């Protein structure tokens, strides 16, 4: 492993924050460009979405949230960055990004709940209560302003998650199954839905692994199971399991355990809860398999092994 020192950790953190802000800002700019050109809400997502970058934005979002600022100027920059990256997450138009955000938020809530102490709450200074209310107000303003300026992804998620259409027109999206031709009709096969395709792939992956349990496919992708050599697992854990079998998957889980343990024990709360969200996203999309995800996983693994040794000394 590469030795990771404190300066590298800081550089990594600020690099993730910077790229998250830049990428989100890029999506927001294109959103307004296409909005001005009259592209409807049902089509605008094709110009700005990128579900493959949502997990990086999620990490950047939490790193910004937990970044401490000492001056008013940097506090304003922090709030602006939160607004930008939150909308960048929305503009991925990916339900998995929202699931990741909810899971990471829920993880944070559980951690604080476990640390909850009634006596400490009674002795909470008036200044701290004011700060809590102040940040709560800022959060409400950010969400309200986001809805006013960029409402399309709110419409999309409400329609997709709650099955409620709050817009004049909602067009279904089709996901062709690996061996089926792409076509649009109100009568479509179960495997052409997002959920149906994923269930189909889970079944096929476990069928394959029943024949090659120890080493899986030898690191080849799920595409080898189909004649047209085209398919995706849409699941990070199953992708690793399929490629490496029980032995490789066990090693992967061990690395993941070390990363989570390090960040939890050394109170890197932003990274820990972001990882919980990334694991949730990984249930629906590839994450660490992608180039940006591989770099993220590699750095965090090296950090976990090297920094824990340094801290022990």
């Amino acid at each position: 492993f590469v030795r990771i020192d404190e300066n590298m950790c800081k550089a990594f953190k600020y690099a993730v924050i910077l790229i998250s802000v830049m990428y989100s800002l890029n999506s927001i700019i294109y959103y307004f460009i296409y909005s001005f050109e009259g592209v409807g809400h049902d089509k605008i997502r094709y110009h700005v979405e990128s579900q493959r970058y949502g997990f990086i934005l999620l990490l950047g979002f939490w790193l910004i949230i937990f970044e401490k600022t000492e001056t008013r100027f940097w506090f304003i920059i922090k709030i602006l960055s939160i607004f930008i990256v939150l909308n960048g997450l929305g503009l991925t138009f990916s339900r998995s990004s929202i699931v990741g955000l909810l899971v990471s938020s829920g993880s944070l809530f559980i951690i604080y709940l476990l640390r909850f102490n009634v006596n400490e709450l009674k002795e909470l200074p008036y200044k701290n209560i004011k700060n809590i209310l102040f940040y709560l107000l800022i959060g409400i303003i950010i969400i309200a302003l986001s809805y006013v300026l960029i409402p399309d992804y709110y419409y999309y998620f409400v329609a997709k998650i709650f099955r409620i259409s709050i817009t004049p027109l909602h067009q279904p999206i089709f996901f062709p199954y690996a061996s089926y031709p792409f076509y649009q009709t109100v009568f479509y096969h179960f495997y052409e839905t997002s959920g149906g395709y994923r269930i189909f792939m889970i079944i096929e992956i476990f069928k394959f692994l029943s024949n090659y349990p120890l080493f899986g496919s030898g690191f080849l992708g799920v595409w080898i199971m189909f004649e047209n050599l085209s398919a995706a697992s849409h699941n990070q854990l199953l992708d690793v399991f399929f490629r490496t079998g029980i032995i490789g998957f066990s090693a992967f889980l061990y690395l993941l355990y070390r990363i989570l343990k390090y960040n939890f024990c050394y109170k890197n709360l932003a990274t820990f809860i972001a990882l919980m969200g990334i694991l949730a996203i990984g249930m629906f999309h590839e994450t660490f398999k992608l180039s940006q995800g591989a770099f993220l996983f590699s750095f965090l693994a090296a950090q976990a092994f090297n920094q824990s040794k340094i801290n022990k000394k």
Side-chain angles (χ1 to χ4, degrees):
F1 291 104
V2 174
R3 288 189 176 276
I4 305 296
D5 58 32
E6 289 296 329
N7 288 331
M8 290 181 182
C9 293
K10 288 180 182 178
F12 172 78
K13 178 176 72 171
Y14 293 123
V16 172
I17 289 174
L18 182 61
I19 198 65
S20 298
V21 171
M22 290 176 63
Y23 196 90
S24 300
L25 198 56
N26 182 71
S27 295
I28 292 170
I29 290 170
Y30 274 104
Y31 171 83
F32 283 110
I33 288 174
Y34 286 108
S35 293
F36 291 143
E37 290 180 359
V39 177
H41 74 274
D42 55 323
K43 296 179 181 178
I44 199 169
R45 76 185 196 90
Y46 298 110
H47 300 287
V48 298
E49 69 174 342
S50 181
Q51 60 193 24
R52 291 177 176 268
Y53 223 79
F55 65 97
I56 297 291
L57 300 184
L58 184 65
L59 176 58
F61 175 78
W62 287 114
L63 288 174
I64 296 168
I65 290 284
F66 281 88
E67 180 65 14
K68 294 180 180 179
T69 55
E70 296 180 357
T71 65
R72 187 173 297 178
F73 171 77
W74 285 110
F75 177 76
I76 294 171
I77 295 297
K78 174 180 176 176
I79 298 302
L80 184 61
S81 299
I82 291 171
F83 173 80
I84 291 171
V85 176
L86 181 64
N87 283 287
L89 269 170
L91 288 173
T92 61
F93 283 97
S94 173
R95 284 169 288 180
S96 63
S97 296
I98 302 304
V99 169
L101 183 60
L102 292 175
V103 169
S104 56
S105 300
S107 300
L108 180 63
F109 176 76
I110 291 171
I111 290 171
Y112 280 143
L113 194 63
L114 293 173
R115 294 177 180 176
F116 180 75
N117 188 309
V118 177
N119 294 326
E120 289 180 2
L121 186 64
K122 291 178 180 178
E123 298 173 1
L124 195 66
Y126 174 70
K127 182 180 178 181
N128 288 1
I129 296 175
K130 275 179 46 177
N131 288 338
I132 292 171
L133 294 175
F134 175 68
Y135 286 117
L136 184 62
L137 178 61
I138 288 178
I140 293 171
I141 291 172
I142 288 175
I143 293 172
L145 190 59
S146 299
Y147 177 75
V148 171
L149 295 177
I150 312 176
D152 290 288
Y153 69 79
Y154 283 89
Y155 299 154
Y156 176 81
F157 289 128
V158 168
K160 278 291 183 179
I161 296 173
F162 300 107
R163 304 296 177 185
I164 301 171
S165 180
I166 56 176
T167 57
L169 175 66
H170 175 63
Q171 296 182 351
I173 311 300
F174 299 93
F175 298 81
Y177 149 58
S179 300
Y180 276 63
F182 179 83
Y183 60 91
Q184 289 195 8
T185 169
V186 292
F187 304 102
Y188 55 92
H189 197 280
F190 171 69
Y191 291 145
E192 286 185 89
T193 65
S194 176
Y197 178 81
R198 283 170 168 79
I199 292 171
F200 165 77
M201 286 304 303
I202 290 170
I203 295 170
E204 292 300 308
I205 285 171
F206 278 104
K207 281 183 182 177
F208 181 90
L209 288 171
S210 65
N211 296 318
Y212 308 96
L214 290 181
F215 298 103
S217 67
F219 216 72
L220 296 174
V222 294
W223 47 267
I224 64 171
M225 296 189 292
F226 303 98
E227 291 183 4
N228 62 355
L229 301 180
S230 176
S233 60
H234 291 294
N235 186 302
Q236 180 59 56
L237 293 176
L238 285 181
D239 187 75
V240 176
F241 198 8
F242 181 88
R243 290 170 182 269
T244 63
I246 293 173
I247 294 175
F249 187 61
S250 299
F252 173 75
L253 290 179
Y254 174 71
L255 286 172
L256 197 57
Y257 161 75
R258 287 292 299 265
I259 292 170
L260 289 169
K261 180 183 176 183
Y262 167 78
N263 285 284
F264 182 78
C265 291
Y266 293 102
K267 298 180 180 179
N268 296 332
L269 204 54
T271 304
F272 178 80
I273 62 173
L275 282 169
M276 299 304 291
I278 291 171
L279 289 175
I281 292 174
M283 299 302 294
F284 309 99
H285 292 288
E286 291 88 352
T287 53
F288 300 131
K289 165 189 170 181
L290 305 173
S291 58
Q292 64 271 30
F295 172 74
L296 176 66
F297 187 84
S298 300
F299 185 92
L300 293 176
Q303 182 191 45
F305 278 86
N306 286 281
Q307 290 294 109
S308 56
K309 290 177 183 178
I310 293 170
N311 290 330
K312 282 180 181 178
K313 292 178 181 178

